[in-house]
Amino acid sequence: ASGTGAGGVWFPATHLSPRAGYSNKPVLWRLKWPKEIMEKLTSTNRSGTISNSDLELAGALLHLEAICQSFDVRERTILSKTDNLNTLFWQRKGSTTSGKVPAHLLRLFGIHQRYHRYVPRFDYLSGPSNPVADALSRDFSMSWPQLTKSLAPHLPRKEKDGFQIWDPTPQVVTSVFSALHKKRSPPESLTVEPTAPTPAILIIDGLPTLNPTLSWASNPLSKPSRTKYQPYKSMQNEFVLKDLQAAAIPSSLNRLKITYGELNRRPMTWGPRTHA
């Protein structure tokens, strides 16, 4: 997001089932902030009440709405990235100690996640490494055909990927604007029912196959993952097209299903034992 508007792109994996009217292609969206929002920016108005980080957080909520309305993400883990550290920490924590704009927006985050039943994960991606979202949130002087043509070098072309456009849900947009004005919206404003999903078809051994149903371990897991992650370093070449192909995006749920150990069965008797 920027002081002008918000925008983003989703690169779906093959195991996601697109909803009616959509297909398994990258989803682009954008929204220009109204005049009354831009006039309250603290960067241009000393008496303003909305910061750039607030707008980034508002755009992050609309970004989640985009994937929920385009794909069936129920019980799925989805990864959203931002170049704003304040927004990143607010999203990961899910709360704030102040009663300012972030508190109103994070309330909407909780309602939205509960209704659409997805598992959100958030990470950092530097602005220069995300040219698509950066252009979508700023270049409002360009029409969609002009903008998508300029972004063509940054979008996958193989496997009929192309792209598709999602228009922000008016009902949710109104709730986001109210939160930016620190006004409380009813929970029903976030519960916009998406269209029915279509069965996902996977190509296995050259044959079309329905996406298999997820199965979970019957016993609880005990030990956490011992995977060591490398320290993050911002680089100009993070935007790698081959990693954005649908087949190259792994299922986060499959990683969560790895069993590291089993808990011993508890005894039938609870509490301290007394001897007769």
Side-chain angles (χ1 to χ4, degrees):
S2 68
T4 307
V9 55
W10 280 104
F11 295 98
T14 54
H15 62 269
L16 281 184
S17 300
R19 297 192 177 277
Y22 294 91
S23 57
N24 201 280
K25 300 177 182 179
V27 178
L28 309 180
W29 70 273
R30 64 175 178 172
L31 175 71
K32 187 175 182 179
W33 303 125
K35 182 179 179 181
E36 60 269 20
I37 295 293
M38 292 189 286
E39 288 178 345
K40 289 190 174 184
L41 276 177
T42 55
S43 58
T44 57
N45 182 3
R46 291 186 177 181
S47 60
T49 57
I50 301 175
S51 67
N52 289 328
S53 297
D54 297 338
L55 294 182
E56 188 77 23
L57 188 61
L61 178 57
L62 294 173
H63 195 52
L64 293 174
E65 174 70 2
I67 190 69
C68 291
Q69 295 295 335
S70 306
F71 293 87
D72 184 6
V73 293
R74 292 171 295 179
E75 283 77 50
R76 295 288 187 179
T77 300
I78 55 179
L79 175 63
S80 177
K81 297 187 177 183
T82 178
D83 62 351
N84 187 292
L85 290 178
N86 288 335
T87 298
L88 177 62
F89 292 129
W90 284 331
Q91 288 175 312
R92 287 180 173 178
K93 187 177 181 181
S95 63
T96 178
T97 55
S98 70
K100 297 181 179 180
V101 172
H104 292 264
L105 288 171
L106 291 173
R107 170 180 171 269
L108 300 184
F109 269 85
I111 298 172
H112 192 267
Q113 178 186 348
R114 184 180 181 87
Y115 178 72
H116 290 286
R117 296 158 46 193
Y118 56 85
V119 181
R121 291 292 180 266
F122 307 102
D123 205 353
Y124 177 81
L125 181 65
S126 61
S129 300
N130 196 2
V132 177
D134 189 66
L136 290 170
S137 62
R138 300 176 187 274
D139 298 337
F140 289 94
S141 60
M142 303 174 66
S143 63
W144 270 117
Q146 293 172 329
L147 185 58
T148 52
K149 183 178 180 180
S150 66
L151 293 176
H154 303 293
L155 296 173
R157 303 177 186 177
K158 297 181 180 180
E159 302 174 2
K160 299 180 181 180
D161 276 341
F163 60 88
Q164 53 195 338
I165 297 173
W166 173 78
D167 294 321
T169 310
Q171 186 174 332
V172 176
V173 170
T174 301
S175 299
V176 171
F177 289 167
S178 297
L180 289 172
H181 290 296
K182 295 190 289 186
K183 296 180 180 179
R184 190 181 182 92
S185 300
E188 294 76 15
S189 62
L190 270 294
T191 56
V192 179
E193 184 177 0
T195 57
T198 56
I201 304 297
L202 302 179
I203 304 301
I204 301 178
D205 296 331
L207 299 175
T209 307
L210 286 176
N211 193 10
T213 304
L214 291 172
S215 58
W216 294 90
S218 58
N219 294 319
L221 308 181
S222 58
K223 297 181 181 180
S225 171
R226 297 180 180 179
T227 303
K228 294 183 179 180
Y229 296 95
Q230 298 297 324
Y232 180 86
K233 293 183 179 180
S234 177
M235 297 180 292
Q236 296 290 336
N237 60 348
E238 290 173 292
F239 199 89
V240 182
L241 277 179
K242 66 179 182 179
D243 295 337
L244 302 178
Q245 301 288 340
I249 301 176
S251 170
S252 298
L253 284 180
N254 287 336
R255 292 197 295 270
L256 293 176
K257 289 163 57 179
I258 298 176
T259 303
Y260 294 95
E262 295 183 358
L263 295 174
N264 295 326
R265 290 185 178 274
R266 294 188 177 96
M268 298 298 294
T269 305
W270 288 82
R273 296 182 179 181
T274 57
H275 300 280

PDB file of all heavy atoms in Angstrom, residues 196-222:
ATOM      1  N   ALA A 196     -19.191 -20.619  -4.640  1.00  0.00           N
ATOM      2  CA  ALA A 196     -18.804 -22.014  -4.384  1.00  0.00           C
ATOM      3  C   ALA A 196     -17.517 -22.360  -5.129  1.00  0.00           C
ATOM      4  O   ALA A 196     -17.285 -21.881  -6.246  1.00  0.00           O
ATOM      5  CB  ALA A 196     -19.923 -22.946  -4.807  1.00  0.00           C
ATOM      6  N   PRO A 197     -16.647 -23.172  -4.518  1.00  0.00           N
ATOM      7  CA  PRO A 197     -15.411 -23.567  -5.199  1.00  0.00           C
ATOM      8  C   PRO A 197     -15.652 -24.667  -6.220  1.00  0.00           C
ATOM      9  O   PRO A 197     -16.613 -25.432  -6.126  1.00  0.00           O
ATOM     10  CB  PRO A 197     -14.531 -24.069  -4.053  1.00  0.00           C
ATOM     11  CG  PRO A 197     -15.509 -24.585  -3.042  1.00  0.00           C
ATOM     12  CD  PRO A 197     -16.721 -23.689  -3.153  1.00  0.00           C
ATOM     13  N   THR A 198     -14.767 -24.739  -7.175  1.00  0.00           N
ATOM     14  CA  THR A 198     -14.786 -25.823  -8.168  1.00  0.00           C
ATOM     15  C   THR A 198     -13.742 -26.850  -7.767  1.00  0.00           C
ATOM     16  O   THR A 198     -12.696 -26.491  -7.216  1.00  0.00           O
ATOM     17  CB  THR A 198     -14.475 -25.287  -9.569  1.00  0.00           C
ATOM     18  OG1 THR A 198     -13.200 -24.608  -9.536  1.00  0.00           O
ATOM     19  CG2 THR A 198     -15.542 -24.293 -10.007  1.00  0.00           C
ATOM     20  N   PRO A 199     -13.981 -28.141  -8.001  1.00  0.00           N
ATOM     21  CA  PRO A 199     -13.002 -29.168  -7.614  1.00  0.00           C
ATOM     22  C   PRO A 199     -11.664 -28.948  -8.308  1.00  0.00           C
ATOM     23  O   PRO A 199     -11.611 -28.671  -9.505  1.00  0.00           O
ATOM     24  CB  PRO A 199     -13.653 -30.477  -8.075  1.00  0.00           C
ATOM     25  CG  PRO A 199     -15.105 -30.160  -8.203  1.00  0.00           C
ATOM     26  CD  PRO A 199     -15.176 -28.719  -8.619  1.00  0.00           C
ATOM     27  N   ALA A 200     -10.609 -29.040  -7.531  1.00  0.00           N
ATOM     28  CA  ALA A 200      -9.269 -28.880  -8.086  1.00  0.00           C
ATOM     29  C   ALA A 200      -8.839 -30.164  -8.793  1.00  0.00           C
ATOM     30  O   ALA A 200      -8.939 -31.255  -8.239  1.00  0.00           O
ATOM     31  CB  ALA A 200      -8.280 -28.525  -6.982  1.00  0.00           C
ATOM     32  N   ILE A 201      -8.376 -30.031 -10.016  1.00  0.00           N
ATOM     33  CA  ILE A 201      -7.930 -31.181 -10.804  1.00  0.00           C
ATOM     34  C   ILE A 201      -6.410 -31.156 -10.894  1.00  0.00           C
ATOM     35  O   ILE A 201      -5.818 -30.184 -11.361  1.00  0.00           O
ATOM     36  CB  ILE A 201      -8.541 -31.156 -12.221  1.00  0.00           C
ATOM     37  CG1 ILE A 201     -10.071 -31.100 -12.133  1.00  0.00           C
ATOM     38  CG2 ILE A 201      -8.087 -32.368 -13.007  1.00  0.00           C
ATOM     39  CD1 ILE A 201     -10.704 -32.299 -11.477  1.00  0.00           C
ATOM     40  N   LEU A 202      -5.777 -32.224 -10.411  1.00  0.00           N
ATOM     41  CA  LEU A 202      -4.335 -32.355 -10.493  1.00  0.00           C
ATOM     42  C   LEU A 202      -3.972 -33.377 -11.569  1.00  0.00           C
ATOM     43  O   LEU A 202      -4.694 -34.345 -11.785  1.00  0.00           O
ATOM     44  CB  LEU A 202      -3.750 -32.794  -9.147  1.00  0.00           C
ATOM     45  CG  LEU A 202      -4.040 -31.890  -7.937  1.00  0.00           C
ATOM     46  CD1 LEU A 202      -3.408 -32.485  -6.694  1.00  0.00           C
ATOM     47  CD2 LEU A 202      -3.547 -30.490  -8.180  1.00  0.00           C
ATOM     48  N   ILE A 203      -2.857 -33.148 -12.230  1.00  0.00           N
ATOM     49  CA  ILE A 203      -2.360 -34.082 -13.240  1.00  0.00           C
ATOM     50  C   ILE A 203      -1.326 -34.983 -12.581  1.00  0.00           C
ATOM     51  O   ILE A 203      -0.228 -34.548 -12.242  1.00  0.00           O
ATOM     52  CB  ILE A 203      -1.766 -33.329 -14.439  1.00  0.00           C
ATOM     53  CG1 ILE A 203      -2.799 -32.358 -15.034  1.00  0.00           C
ATOM     54  CG2 ILE A 203      -1.297 -34.325 -15.483  1.00  0.00           C
ATOM     55  CD1 ILE A 203      -4.068 -33.036 -15.513  1.00  0.00           C
ATOM     56  N   ILE A 204      -1.690 -36.258 -12.362  1.00  0.00           N
ATOM     57  CA  ILE A 204      -0.809 -37.235 -11.734  1.00  0.00           C
ATOM     58  C   ILE A 204      -0.565 -38.370 -12.724  1.00  0.00           C
ATOM     59  O   ILE A 204      -1.498 -39.025 -13.172  1.00  0.00           O
ATOM     60  CB  ILE A 204      -1.424 -37.783 -10.430  1.00  0.00           C
ATOM     61  CG1 ILE A 204      -1.684 -36.631  -9.440  1.00  0.00           C
ATOM     62  CG2 ILE A 204      -0.510 -38.833  -9.809  1.00  0.00           C
ATOM     63  CD1 ILE A 204      -2.326 -37.084  -8.151  1.00  0.00           C
ATOM     64  N   ASP A 205       0.710 -38.575 -13.057  1.00  0.00           N
ATOM     65  CA  ASP A 205       1.097 -39.598 -14.045  1.00  0.00           C
ATOM     66  C   ASP A 205       0.357 -39.391 -15.364  1.00  0.00           C
ATOM     67  O   ASP A 205      -0.044 -40.355 -16.026  1.00  0.00           O
ATOM     68  CB  ASP A 205       0.821 -41.005 -13.497  1.00  0.00           C
ATOM     69  CG  ASP A 205       1.673 -41.320 -12.270  1.00  0.00           C
ATOM     70  OD1 ASP A 205       2.785 -40.766 -12.184  1.00  0.00           O
ATOM     71  OD2 ASP A 205       1.217 -42.097 -11.420  1.00  0.00           O
ATOM     72  N   GLY A 206       0.150 -38.135 -15.724  1.00  0.00           N
ATOM     73  CA  GLY A 206      -0.492 -37.835 -16.992  1.00  0.00           C
ATOM     74  C   GLY A 206      -1.999 -37.941 -16.994  1.00  0.00           C
ATOM     75  O   GLY A 206      -2.630 -37.740 -18.025  1.00  0.00           O
ATOM     76  N   LEU A 207      -2.594 -38.256 -15.832  1.00  0.00           N
ATOM     77  CA  LEU A 207      -4.038 -38.428 -15.757  1.00  0.00           C
ATOM     78  C   LEU A 207      -4.647 -37.380 -14.834  1.00  0.00           C
ATOM     79  O   LEU A 207      -4.092 -37.085 -13.763  1.00  0.00           O
ATOM     80  CB  LEU A 207      -4.386 -39.829 -15.222  1.00  0.00           C
ATOM     81  CG  LEU A 207      -3.900 -41.009 -16.068  1.00  0.00           C
ATOM     82  CD1 LEU A 207      -4.210 -42.317 -15.354  1.00  0.00           C
ATOM     83  CD2 LEU A 207      -4.548 -40.982 -17.459  1.00  0.00           C
ATOM     84  N   PRO A 208      -5.795 -36.781 -15.214  1.00  0.00           N
ATOM     85  CA  PRO A 208      -6.461 -35.809 -14.334  1.00  0.00           C
ATOM     86  C   PRO A 208      -7.025 -36.496 -13.103  1.00  0.00           C
ATOM     87  O   PRO A 208      -7.711 -37.513 -13.192  1.00  0.00           O
ATOM     88  CB  PRO A 208      -7.566 -35.237 -15.223  1.00  0.00           C
ATOM     89  CG  PRO A 208      -7.821 -36.300 -16.256  1.00  0.00           C
ATOM     90  CD  PRO A 208      -6.500 -36.982 -16.490  1.00  0.00           C
ATOM     91  N   THR A 209      -6.720 -35.958 -11.929  1.00  0.00           N
ATOM     92  CA  THR A 209      -7.148 -36.546 -10.667  1.00  0.00           C
ATOM     93  C   THR A 209      -7.662 -35.454  -9.742  1.00  0.00           C
ATOM     94  O   THR A 209      -7.087 -34.365  -9.680  1.00  0.00           O
ATOM     95  CB  THR A 209      -5.970 -37.277  -9.976  1.00  0.00           C
ATOM     96  OG1 THR A 209      -5.403 -38.203 -10.908  1.00  0.00           O
ATOM     97  CG2 THR A 209      -6.444 -38.022  -8.742  1.00  0.00           C
ATOM     98  N   LEU A 210      -8.756 -35.745  -9.021  1.00  0.00           N
ATOM     99  CA  LEU A 210      -9.276 -34.781  -8.054  1.00  0.00           C
ATOM    100  C   LEU A 210      -8.280 -34.586  -6.922  1.00  0.00           C
ATOM    101  O   LEU A 210      -7.587 -35.519  -6.509  1.00  0.00           O
ATOM    102  CB  LEU A 210     -10.613 -35.261  -7.478  1.00  0.00           C
ATOM    103  CG  LEU A 210     -11.834 -35.160  -8.391  1.00  0.00           C
ATOM    104  CD1 LEU A 210     -13.040 -35.769  -7.699  1.00  0.00           C
ATOM    105  CD2 LEU A 210     -12.119 -33.705  -8.752  1.00  0.00           C
ATOM    106  N   ASN A 211      -8.194 -33.352  -6.439  1.00  0.00           N
ATOM    107  CA  ASN A 211      -7.300 -33.032  -5.329  1.00  0.00           C
ATOM    108  C   ASN A 211      -7.664 -33.897  -4.125  1.00  0.00           C
ATOM    109  O   ASN A 211      -8.803 -33.870  -3.664  1.00  0.00           O
ATOM    110  CB  ASN A 211      -7.420 -31.550  -4.976  1.00  0.00           C
ATOM    111  CG  ASN A 211      -6.291 -31.091  -4.063  1.00  0.00           C
ATOM    112  OD1 ASN A 211      -5.335 -31.813  -3.845  1.00  0.00           O
ATOM    113  ND2 ASN A 211      -6.415 -29.885  -3.550  1.00  0.00           N
ATOM    114  N   PRO A 212      -6.742 -34.687  -3.587  1.00  0.00           N
ATOM    115  CA  PRO A 212      -7.076 -35.580  -2.468  1.00  0.00           C
ATOM    116  C   PRO A 212      -7.452 -34.806  -1.212  1.00  0.00           C
ATOM    117  O   PRO A 212      -7.014 -33.686  -0.987  1.00  0.00           O
ATOM    118  CB  PRO A 212      -5.777 -36.377  -2.263  1.00  0.00           C
ATOM    119  CG  PRO A 212      -4.702 -35.505  -2.829  1.00  0.00           C
ATOM    120  CD  PRO A 212      -5.339 -34.782  -3.986  1.00  0.00           C
ATOM    121  N   THR A 213      -8.265 -35.463  -0.380  1.00  0.00           N
ATOM    122  CA  THR A 213      -8.684 -34.856   0.873  1.00  0.00           C
ATOM    123  C   THR A 213      -7.535 -34.882   1.872  1.00  0.00           C
ATOM    124  O   THR A 213      -6.790 -35.853   1.964  1.00  0.00           O
ATOM    125  CB  THR A 213      -9.886 -35.621   1.452  1.00  0.00           C
ATOM    126  OG1 THR A 213     -10.918 -35.643   0.472  1.00  0.00           O
ATOM    127  CG2 THR A 213     -10.394 -34.942   2.720  1.00  0.00           C
ATOM    128  N   LEU A 214      -7.401 -33.795   2.628  1.00  0.00           N
ATOM    129  CA  LEU A 214      -6.340 -33.716   3.617  1.00  0.00           C
ATOM    130  C   LEU A 214      -6.602 -34.703   4.746  1.00  0.00           C
ATOM    131  O   LEU A 214      -7.727 -34.874   5.180  1.00  0.00           O
ATOM    132  CB  LEU A 214      -6.249 -32.305   4.195  1.00  0.00           C
ATOM    133  CG  LEU A 214      -5.740 -31.222   3.247  1.00  0.00           C
ATOM    134  CD1 LEU A 214      -5.885 -29.860   3.901  1.00  0.00           C
ATOM    135  CD2 LEU A 214      -4.293 -31.465   2.870  1.00  0.00           C
ATOM    136  N   SER A 215      -5.549 -35.362   5.217  1.00  0.00           N
ATOM    137  CA  SER A 215      -5.670 -36.270   6.355  1.00  0.00           C
ATOM    138  C   SER A 215      -4.632 -35.870   7.395  1.00  0.00           C
ATOM    139  O   SER A 215      -3.501 -35.539   7.060  1.00  0.00           O
ATOM    140  CB  SER A 215      -5.442 -37.721   5.913  1.00  0.00           C
ATOM    141  OG  SER A 215      -4.161 -37.877   5.317  1.00  0.00           O
ATOM    142  N   TRP A 216      -5.031 -35.915   8.648  1.00  0.00           N
ATOM    143  CA  TRP A 216      -4.158 -35.488   9.726  1.00  0.00           C
ATOM    144  C   TRP A 216      -3.746 -36.686  10.580  1.00  0.00           C
ATOM    145  O   TRP A 216      -4.405 -37.711  10.604  1.00  0.00           O
ATOM    146  CB  TRP A 216      -4.860 -34.447  10.603  1.00  0.00           C
ATOM    147  CG  TRP A 216      -5.126 -33.183   9.863  1.00  0.00           C
ATOM    148  CD1 TRP A 216      -6.226 -32.868   9.141  1.00  0.00           C
ATOM    149  CD2 TRP A 216      -4.250 -32.072   9.746  1.00  0.00           C
ATOM    150  NE1 TRP A 216      -6.106 -31.622   8.583  1.00  0.00           N
ATOM    151  CE2 TRP A 216      -4.908 -31.107   8.938  1.00  0.00           C
ATOM    152  CE3 TRP A 216      -2.983 -31.774  10.245  1.00  0.00           C
ATOM    153  CZ2 TRP A 216      -4.333 -29.883   8.624  1.00  0.00           C
ATOM    154  CZ3 TRP A 216      -2.413 -30.552   9.928  1.00  0.00           C
ATOM    155  CH2 TRP A 216      -3.083 -29.628   9.133  1.00  0.00           C
ATOM    156  N   ALA A 217      -2.635 -36.520  11.296  1.00  0.00           N
ATOM    157  CA  ALA A 217      -2.147 -37.585  12.168  1.00  0.00           C
ATOM    158  C   ALA A 217      -3.163 -37.843  13.272  1.00  0.00           C
ATOM    159  O   ALA A 217      -3.752 -36.917  13.814  1.00  0.00           O
ATOM    160  CB  ALA A 217      -0.794 -37.194  12.762  1.00  0.00           C
ATOM    161  N   SER A 218      -3.372 -39.141  13.617  1.00  0.00           N
ATOM    162  CA  SER A 218      -4.366 -39.487  14.630  1.00  0.00           C
ATOM    163  C   SER A 218      -3.876 -39.169  16.035  1.00  0.00           C
ATOM    164  O   SER A 218      -4.665 -38.982  16.944  1.00  0.00           O
ATOM    165  CB  SER A 218      -4.708 -40.976  14.537  1.00  0.00           C
ATOM    166  OG  SER A 218      -3.527 -41.767  14.707  1.00  0.00           O
ATOM    167  N   ASN A 219      -2.549 -39.120  16.234  1.00  0.00           N
ATOM    168  CA  ASN A 219      -1.989 -38.824  17.557  1.00  0.00           C
ATOM    169  C   ASN A 219      -1.445 -37.405  17.590  1.00  0.00           C
ATOM    170  O   ASN A 219      -0.963 -36.898  16.580  1.00  0.00           O
ATOM    171  CB  ASN A 219      -0.850 -39.803  17.889  1.00  0.00           C
ATOM    172  CG  ASN A 219      -1.362 -41.207  18.051  1.00  0.00           C
ATOM    173  OD1 ASN A 219      -2.419 -41.433  18.641  1.00  0.00           O
ATOM    174  ND2 ASN A 219      -0.609 -42.184  17.525  1.00  0.00           N
ATOM    175  N   PRO A 220      -1.494 -36.733  18.751  1.00  0.00           N
ATOM    176  CA  PRO A 220      -0.958 -35.373  18.843  1.00  0.00           C
ATOM    177  C   PRO A 220       0.540 -35.354  18.665  1.00  0.00           C
ATOM    178  O   PRO A 220       1.233 -36.348  18.916  1.00  0.00           O
ATOM    179  CB  PRO A 220      -1.370 -34.931  20.256  1.00  0.00           C
ATOM    180  CG  PRO A 220      -1.544 -36.207  21.012  1.00  0.00           C
ATOM    181  CD  PRO A 220      -2.061 -37.200  20.011  1.00  0.00           C
ATOM    182  N   LEU A 221       1.057 -34.228  18.212  1.00  0.00           N
ATOM    183  CA  LEU A 221       2.492 -34.073  18.005  1.00  0.00           C
ATOM    184  C   LEU A 221       3.118 -33.463  19.244  1.00  0.00           C
ATOM    185  O   LEU A 221       2.510 -32.674  19.950  1.00  0.00           O
ATOM    186  CB  LEU A 221       2.747 -33.185  16.789  1.00  0.00           C
ATOM    187  CG  LEU A 221       2.006 -33.605  15.508  1.00  0.00           C
ATOM    188  CD1 LEU A 221       2.360 -32.683  14.373  1.00  0.00           C
ATOM    189  CD2 LEU A 221       2.331 -35.046  15.146  1.00  0.00           C
ATOM    190  N   SER A 222       4.379 -33.840  19.524  1.00  0.00           N
ATOM    191  CA  SER A 222       5.013 -33.373  20.747  1.00  0.00           C
ATOM    192  C   SER A 222       6.180 -32.433  20.474  1.00  0.00           C
ATOM    193  O   SER A 222       6.204 -31.316  20.953  1.00  0.00           O
ATOM    194  CB  SER A 222       5.483 -34.563  21.577  1.00  0.00           C
ATOM    195  OG  SER A 222       6.383 -35.364  20.828  1.00  0.00           O
TER     196      SER A 222
END
